[in-house]
Amino acid sequence: MTQINSRIPEGPLAEKWSNYKDHQKLVNPANKRRLDVIVVGTGLAGASAAASLGEMGFNVLNFCIQDSARRAHSIAAQGGINAAKNYQNDGDSIYRLFYDTIKGGDYRAREANVYRLAEVSNEIIDQCVGQGVPFAREYGGLLDNRSFGGAQVSRTFYAKGQTGQQLLLGAYSAQMRQVKKGTIKLYTRYEMLDLVMIDGRARGIIARNLVTGQLERFAAHAVVIATGGYGNAFFLSTNAMSCNGSAAMQCYRKGAYFANPAFAQIHPTCIPVHGEFQSKLTLMSESLRNDGRIWVPKKKEDAQAIREGKLKPTQIAEEDRDYYLERRYPAFGNLVPRDVASRAAKERCDAGFGVNNTGLAVYLDFSEAINRLGRDVVEARYGNLFQMYEKIVDENPYETPMMIYPAIHYTMGGIWVDYELMTSVTGLFCIGEANFSDHGANRLGASALMQGLADGYFVLPYTIQNYLADQISVPRFSTSLPEFDKTEKELKDKIERIMNVKGNRTVDSIHKELGLIMWEFVGMARNKEGLEIALNKLAEIRKEFWKNVYVPGKADDLNTELDKALRLLDFIGIGELMALDALNREESCGGHFRIEHQTQEGEALRHDDKFSYVSCWKYEGEDKKPELLKEELNYEFIKVQTRNYKS
C-alpha cells in the first residue's frame, strides 16, 4: 500500500517551523534568475506567492482567469482576517489561535500545519499594514478587532465589510511592482486546461487564451496551483461564476491526491434563494453575527402567518422570539462555528419555524444593537453590507430584520499537500483554498484570508526553495517536447468531442441539474442511501452531458459556453469524489454531517477510532473507482475531545 509522507519536521510543535527554516536548502540570488515558476491564480494566495517569488528573483509566469488580477474572487471576502496579535488583551495567543482552529475543524486537520498558520498570522498583519491596507482602527490609532465564530477572543482584523478587497489590492500592488520590474509575466484571461509532466515531475501547463480560444504551452521548473475551491459544483453557491475546480481535477488526473473532498462548508448567513433563474447566492458576512441576533418565532402559527404575509417580524413580541443559538450554545451564542450555526438553522426550518415565503430562512436582527449602540455605530461597522442587502432584497435592514439561510461557500477539501505545500506530484505545489491542509472538517470565519496570505507570503517562498535548490542545473524546457505535444493533442481531442455532441441542452441546464442533486443528497445532511442515489444520478448526469450537451460557436474562438462545458465535466467528477468520500466517512464531523451519526442533541458524532485520518483519493482511470489512501492524524500536543460551545 502507498505510504503517505507528510514530511512534518521533528521536534516540539512551537519549534517545527523555525527548525525547518534553519535547515532548508536555499537558492542564491544569481541562481534564482535561472529558475522559472508557474503560478496559476491571482487571488490572495496566488498574488502574494507570485509577488514574493518575483521579489526574491525567480522568473514567475502568473495566470489569471479574469480580465484583471484585481477581480480574483478573494475580493468578495467581507468580514476579516484572523491573527493572534492580542491587541485587545483578552487572553489571545498563538497557541489559542492554533487550538481554536484545530477545534473548529473538529480535529481533522494536521497539527503542524495549523500551528505554523497561527505562528505566521501576526506577520501577515504587519505585511499588509506596510502595504497600506486600511484596516479599521480604534480611537487611539491601534488596529481594531472584532469577534468571529468559534473564538471567545477578538482577533479578527477588518476593513469595514470589504476586507478581502483591501487585502487583494495590497497583494496586487506588490504583484504589479514585480510585473513592472519584469520578474512576473502576467497572463490575464487565460485558463489552465492541463498539467504537463516530464519524467515524473510537473514541468508546465497547457492554457486556453479565453479571448482567442487558442491553446498555448508554458514550461517551468515548478508549478504552483492557487485556483480556489470547488463549491460551484453545487451550481448555486456564494462563489463567483468563474470559480471552478478544474485545475485541481487536472492535477488529480495526473497523480495528485484529492484530499477530504466531502468537507464542504455551508455558510449560515446567506441571502436565501429567491427564484429558479438565480445564478449565484450572496453572502452576508459572518461579522454581522457580532451585533446581529439570530431568531425564529417560538410559535409555529406565527411563523406560518409570516410566511403568508399576515405578520411582520417587527410585530413578534420579544418573549415570542426564539434566539435558538443563544439558547442552545450559551457560551458562544451567535458566534458558534459555521457548521453548527448552519445545522441549527436547518433544524428550525425543517421543524416548521422558518420564515420567508419558502420557509427556508431565519432572521438576523440588529434592533437590539441599534438601540444599544445607535444606528450611526452600526452603520459605521456594517454600512456597505446593509446597503448590499437592501439592493438585493429591497428591505431596509435597519428597520426590518435580515433574512438568512445556509448556502455552499468554502471547500475545506482540496489537493493533498505535505508540510512543504508540495502535492504527491513532484514539483507541483498547491496553496490557499485549493489545498486541503489547514482547516480540517470546518473552516472558522476569517481563516481563509489568513491561510491564503500565510501560504503565499510566508510559507511557499521558503518551502519551494527546498525543492528548487536541486533544479538549478536543469536547463529551461522547450514547449516543443513530446510531452507537450501529447498533452495538447489529448485536450484538442476532448474539446472536439464536446463540440461534436450537438445535443439539445445548454451547459447551464445540466449544471443546474447537477447542483440540485448535490444539494439534496450531498448537502447539509447526508445518509448512506442518499449518497448511493447521488452516485447513480451523477453517473447519469455524465452520460447526459455526452449525449445531449450543446456548445454553440467555434472551439478556436472566444467561447464562454465551451469554457463552462469543460468546467462542468470537472464538477461532475468532483461531485462523484465528494459523494464517494462522504459515503466512506461513516461519522459526522464539521461540515460533513451523516444523519446516522449524531448525538441525542443532534450534534455531530465523530468516531476517532476509525476516521482520524485524511482521506486521500488516488486517480485510477476514467471509468475506475479511485484508490483510498489514508494519512493518519496523530495528535501529539493537544487532547482530542468532543467540541463544546455550550460552556
Side-chain angles (χ1 to χ4, degrees), residues 281-580:
L281 297 173
T282 303
L283 175 71
M284 287 284 100
S285 170
E286 182 175 313
S287 63
L288 294 169
R289 291 198 271 150
N290 272 279
D291 291 307
R293 301 177 70 196
I294 295 173
W295 64 274
V296 292
K298 283 183 179 177
K299 302 172 186 174
K300 281 189 181 179
E301 54 266 33
D302 285 348
Q304 181 69 27
I306 288 173
R307 290 196 293 270
E308 293 172 355
K310 297 174 182 176
L311 260 183
K312 294 182 178 178
T314 50
Q315 295 173 304
I316 304 293
E318 184 70 17
E319 61 269 20
D320 292 328
R321 300 179 177 192
D322 177 16
Y323 296 95
Y324 58 88
L325 290 178
E326 298 172 33
R327 169 173 56 83
R328 290 178 61 175
Y329 309 101
F332 284 74
N334 294 294
L335 286 171
V336 291
R338 292 174 176 177
D339 61 311
V340 177
S342 292
R343 282 196 298 273
K346 182 179 188 297
E347 185 275 326
R348 287 291 79 194
C349 292
D350 289 350
F353 295 93
V355 295
N356 200 2
N357 57 354
T358 62
L360 297 176
V362 299
Y363 288 124
L364 180 61
D365 195 332
F366 288 85
S367 57
E368 190 270 340
I370 290 170
N371 292 334
R372 173 170 49 88
L373 301 169
R375 174 171 167 157
D376 57 334
V377 173
V378 172
E379 191 168 353
R381 291 178 180 174
Y382 313 112
N384 60 319
L385 298 171
F386 279 43
Q387 182 185 40
M388 183 168 69
Y389 180 88
E390 186 170 5
K391 283 186 175 181
I392 294 170
V393 181
D394 196 25
E395 284 187 354
N396 184 342
Y398 294 102
E399 298 169 2
T400 304
M402 287 183 180
M403 286 186 294
I404 56 168
Y405 193 70
I408 284 287
H409 177 53
Y410 186 93
T411 48
M412 287 75 65
I415 300 176
W416 180 89
V417 292
D418 60 22
Y419 187 77
E420 298 184 324
L421 303 182
M422 187 155 70
T423 71
S424 48
V425 171
T426 305
L428 178 67
F429 294 78
C430 186
I431 58 177
E433 187 182 356
N435 76 29
F436 90 101
S437 68
D438 292 352
H439 306 296
N442 173 65
R443 176 178 68 80
L444 292 183
S447 287
L449 307 187
M450 175 174 62
Q451 187 212 344
L453 292 181
D455 287 355
Y457 282 140
F458 297 109
V459 180
L460 184 75
Y462 285 97
T463 62
I464 199 169
Q465 283 193 86
N466 206 44
Y467 170 73
L468 290 174
D470 293 333
Q471 301 297 301
I472 56 176
S473 60
V474 177
R476 289 191 163 95
F477 297 88
S478 167
T479 55
S480 60
L481 288 169
E483 289 86 352
F484 282 90
D485 293 339
K486 180 175 181 290
T487 305
E488 184 172 329
K489 183 181 183 306
E490 289 170 352
L491 271 175
K492 284 183 173 177
D493 290 346
K494 179 180 178 180
I495 290 170
E496 185 179 0
R497 185 184 171 198
I498 292 172
M499 297 299 295
N500 287 336
V501 175
K502 299 188 186 304
N504 55 19
R505 292 190 62 178
T506 64
V507 176
D508 281 348
S509 73
I510 300 174
H511 195 173
K512 284 181 182 179
E513 188 178 343
L514 168 67
L516 290 171
I517 293 167
M518 294 298 294
W519 183 251
E520 183 174 354
F521 300 110
V522 200
M524 251 195 292
R526 305 156 173 178
N527 60 41
K528 184 175 186 290
E529 181 186 6
L531 291 165
E532 289 172 343
I533 291 171
L535 285 167
N536 289 328
K537 285 182 175 289
L538 290 168
E540 292 301 314
I541 284 276
R542 187 183 293 278
K543 290 177 186 174
E544 177 68 6
F545 178 94
W546 287 115
K547 179 182 176 184
N548 268 330
V549 76
Y550 175 65
V551 177
K554 297 187 296 183
D556 56 350
D557 201 351
L558 188 153
N559 193 331
T560 55
E561 289 301 303
L562 175 58
D563 302 337
K564 290 193 293 186
L566 288 163
R567 296 167 199 161
L568 175 56
L569 270 178
D570 291 323
F571 281 139
I572 295 169
I574 287 168
E576 290 170 331
L577 276 175
M578 290 182 73
L580 196 61

Side-chain angles (χ1 to χ4, degrees), residues 48-60 178 181-184:
S48 60
S52 300
L53 295 173
E55 180 73 38
M56 293 164 71
F58 293 105
N59 296 303
V60 180
Q178 297 307 314
K181 287 178 66 178
T183 62
I184 294 178

Side-chain angles (χ1 to χ4, degrees), residues 22-185:
D22 288 344
H23 298 96
Q24 60 151 123
K25 298 174 185 174
L26 296 173
V27 181
N28 78 39
N31 285 333
K32 287 188 178 85
R33 294 193 292 271
R34 297 164 55 187
L35 295 169
D36 302 331
V37 180
I38 286 171
V39 178
V40 186
T42 57
L44 284 179
S48 60
S52 300
L53 295 173
E55 180 73 38
M56 293 164 71
F58 293 105
N59 296 303
V60 180
L61 292 74
N62 198 187
F63 293 84
C64 172
I65 197 172
Q66 296 88 1
D67 58 355
S68 167
R70 289 173 297 176
R71 294 184 185 271
H73 189 56
S74 299
I75 201 171
Q78 299 166 347
I81 177 170
N82 287 331
K85 285 286 194 183
N86 195 29
Y87 284 159
Q88 310 295 319
N89 198 28
D90 57 0
D92 203 8
S93 65
I94 289 171
Y95 182 86
R96 191 172 290 275
L97 173 54
F98 152 73
Y99 181 76
D100 286 347
T101 306
I102 285 277
K103 176 184 175 184
D106 222 350
Y107 302 94
R108 290 292 177 265
R110 194 189 284 152
E111 267 186 333
N113 286 64
V114 179
Y115 193 89
R116 176 176 65 189
L117 175 66
E119 194 176 349
V120 304
S121 67
N122 293 340
E123 299 175 65
I124 297 170
I125 304 304
D126 297 337
Q127 168 90 359
C128 294
V129 169
Q131 290 173 338
V133 173
F135 286 121
R137 292 180 182 268
E138 294 179 325
Y139 178 75
L142 289 176
L143 298 184
D144 198 10
N145 289 127
R146 56 190 177 199
S147 299
F148 257 62
Q152 291 179 304
V153 296
S154 294
R155 64 162 68 102
T156 304
F157 295 78
Y158 65 98
K160 268 196 168 181
Q162 50 183 252
T163 314
Q165 179 180 7
Q166 298 302 332
L167 291 171
L168 186 63
L169 288 172
Y172 172 77
S173 64
Q175 176 192 33
M176 296 311 291
R177 179 172 179 267
Q178 297 307 314
V179 171
K180 180 73 184 287
K181 287 178 66 178
T183 62
I184 294 178
K185 188 163 185 184

